[in-house]
Amino acid sequence: MRVAEVVGRVLHGHGARHVFGVVGSGNFHVTNALVAAGARFVAAAHEGGAASMADGYARTCGQVGLLSVHQGPGVTNALTGLTEAAKSRTPMVVLAPEATAPRSNFFIDLPALAAAVGADFHRVRATHAAEDAGAAYRAAARGATVVLGLPLDVQDTVTEPWSGPVPSVAPIPTAAPQVEPLLAALQAARRPVFIAGRGARGAREPLIRLADAYGALLAVSAAAKGLFAGNPWYIDVAGGFATPLAAELIGAADLVVAWGSTLNMWTTRHGELIPPGAVVAQVDHDPAAFGVNRPVDLAVAGEVAAVADAVLARLADRPTAAVEGSWRTPELAQRIRDHGRWRTVPYRDESGGDPATIDPRTLSAALDDLLPPDRTVVVDSGNFMGYPSMWLDVPDGAGFCFTQAFQSVGLGLASALGAAVARPDRLTVAAVGDGGFVMSATELLTAVRLALPLLVVIYDDAAYGAEVHHFGPGGHPLETVTFPETDLAAIARGYGCEGLTVRTVDDLGPVRHWLAGPRTRPLVIDAKICSGHGSWWLEEAFRGH
């Protein structure tokens, strides 16, 4: 058996069921081995799209995503999506063929490339192919993006056939978390707030039980939106996307516990959201994450769920630590019901000044009413990104995919395809700007081929809006970042999608018919949005720079 075949069989044996990519000579045999073992290959139009698909798939279903690319340019084409995945700590394995001869046209320094973007690097050896492939998969399953080097000469080497067994993905042994200081801080607090980040995925229930025990309010970073959906004490996203009520309540906290969140500038509004007198605790499995964005008073090393369970176990021994005197009152519960979502915050609709455009808030609210609640929302980067993030509800933490770790425009559409493959039972909504859509529109070919339920909403302001609103007030010429109005719905129809142009809420009528139908062709909405001023969340970010 060739080493390439061993690698494919081993990865499938460990649980790989989908592989995204573009096939060339260097990854032909390993990809076919995966397919022969029973994995589904999803062919993308471009390696960059394939990388984002694998990323979106892994984030949505919580399983390891596989990306298969050609040597050299296949790897570099995928680099932006790979960097987004690495910075998001997405569990992913990149099958990266290696031309090891330095004078080969295809030669690149793969270990250095992986290190440069924050990914792990493993290499397959001829004599240890099964062991090396399995180690890469297990490293990814623990929360790493892994570049797996597959030297071309090694792939062709004949070795012993592999048929198992498959080692289990055992957690890395860790010491019992030291929770006494955190326990004391919780017992002393009267206005605690939990802010959960992407590192808290899978820890919803123990965190809710702990919050109930100590009267804490529940918030999330943008990357973890939906984690506590449906809980009466959930105040949604902290930071730039926070509702006025959430900002008020976090600003009044006497204890803030970050669970799997590094409290970056987005989550804390450059530190201004958390009051100076509050005690700040951080829980993370990676000690290197402590205090990276702001000083913390307490640091607890350990997996989020394990730390929460350890505190709850101590609570069983100290039943007097209760919610008495906390701020969880019926009056506050009513305020959260009345003002805890952006849908309940009044605003002045700005589309009235231009009948050819629609206010993006009005558009998002109307879509939120139209679309089924069981949905996955994937948001690209750009001036528009807060509108779908704030106005579109999601059912749980797996229902939101935020492609902002690298802050690259153009990753949302392909990430949504991966999310749709992971959860075909849900409607997947890709929210993109017109700039990001044009960058990634080629993957509409893939969307049509897959026939998955996909709605693409283009927040179309005929510009790179962030740059317009950042540089425009300074009197700078904007011709380089503005574009003539383009019929993006017609472009989508050319790819085989259904296309719709929206300038008013009434124009959304055909969406109802599409939702009621089989939804086997993607629907692309070209929403011509008004954009008289920049978004407040980006204004805050630019002030920070």
Side-chain angles (χ1 to χ4, degrees), residues 172-181 300-303 306-307 310-311 314:
I172 299 173
T174 56
Q178 301 300 310
V179 299
E180 285 296 333
V300 182
E303 296 292 340
V307 172
V311 178
R314 300 294 181 89

Side-chain angles (χ1 to χ4, degrees), residues 110-398:
L110 269 184
L113 181 148
V117 301
D120 291 355
F121 181 78
H122 291 231
R123 180 178 280 128
V124 168
R125 299 163 293 174
T127 54
H128 298 80
E131 176 186 333
D132 295 338
Y137 188 94
R138 292 190 294 276
R142 294 188 185 103
T145 297
V146 179
V147 176
L148 180 59
L150 302 171
L152 296 177
D153 55 343
V154 171
Q155 286 194 59
D156 282 334
T157 301
V158 176
T159 186
E160 292 296 318
W162 180 88
S163 59
V166 177
S168 61
V169 183
I172 299 173
T174 56
Q178 301 300 310
V179 299
E180 285 296 333
L182 177 58
L183 182 65
L186 286 165
Q187 290 174 324
R190 289 295 173 265
R191 298 181 305 280
V193 172
F194 290 176
I195 300 179
R198 63 167 56 90
R201 183 181 179 123
R204 170 188 163 98
E205 295 309 319
L207 287 178
I208 286 177
R209 291 197 299 272
L210 189 60
D212 288 344
Y214 287 101
L217 304 183
L218 295 162
V220 291
S221 69
K225 181 180 172 68
L227 180 63
F228 302 117
N231 187 278
W233 302 105
Y234 177 41
I235 56 176
D236 207 37
V237 177
F241 295 166
T243 62
L245 177 61
E248 172 195 330
L249 294 172
I250 296 171
D254 59 4
L255 171 65
V256 174
V257 186
W259 300 90
S261 168
T262 59
L263 298 177
N264 63 24
M265 68 174 188
W266 305 99
T267 305
T268 65
R269 292 186 173 176
H270 299 283
E272 296 177 1
L273 190 63
I274 298 175
V279 174
V280 179
Q282 185 179 352
V283 178
D284 203 288
H285 77 281
D286 181 9
F290 294 139
V292 293
N293 290 308
R294 58 151 295 145
V296 295
D297 302 295
L298 300 173
V300 182
E303 296 292 340
V304 167
V307 172
D309 283 335
V311 178
L312 284 165
R314 300 294 181 89
L315 176 62
D317 300 330
R318 303 180 184 184
T320 55
V323 191
E324 293 180 12
S326 81
W327 55 353
R328 281 194 179 188
T329 64
E331 293 76 18
L332 181 54
Q334 186 64 49
R335 289 189 70 199
I336 293 172
R337 285 193 296 272
D338 292 343
H339 306 292
R341 299 169 61 218
W342 275 104
R343 292 294 307 275
T344 62
V345 178
Y347 67 92
R348 183 176 64 85
D349 190 307
E350 297 179 358
S351 54
D354 182 358
T357 60
I358 184 171
D359 189 308
R361 296 165 293 186
T362 302
L363 168 71
S364 303
L367 287 170
D368 191 48
D369 290 336
L370 276 174
L371 304 181
D374 206 17
R375 62 181 76 148
T376 305
V377 176
V378 183
V379 181
D380 202 350
S381 188
N383 185 66
F384 77 95
M385 65 185 181
Y387 302 117
S389 299
M390 293 189 286
W391 270 268
L392 295 182
D393 285 340
V394 292
D396 50 37

Side-chain angles (χ1 to χ4, degrees), residues 432-455:
V432 301
D434 51 306
F437 172 77
V438 172
M439 284 185 183
S440 57
T442 305
E443 294 304 342
L444 289 179
L445 287 171
T446 310
V448 170
R449 185 165 57 239
L450 294 175
L452 291 166
L454 177 69
L455 175 67

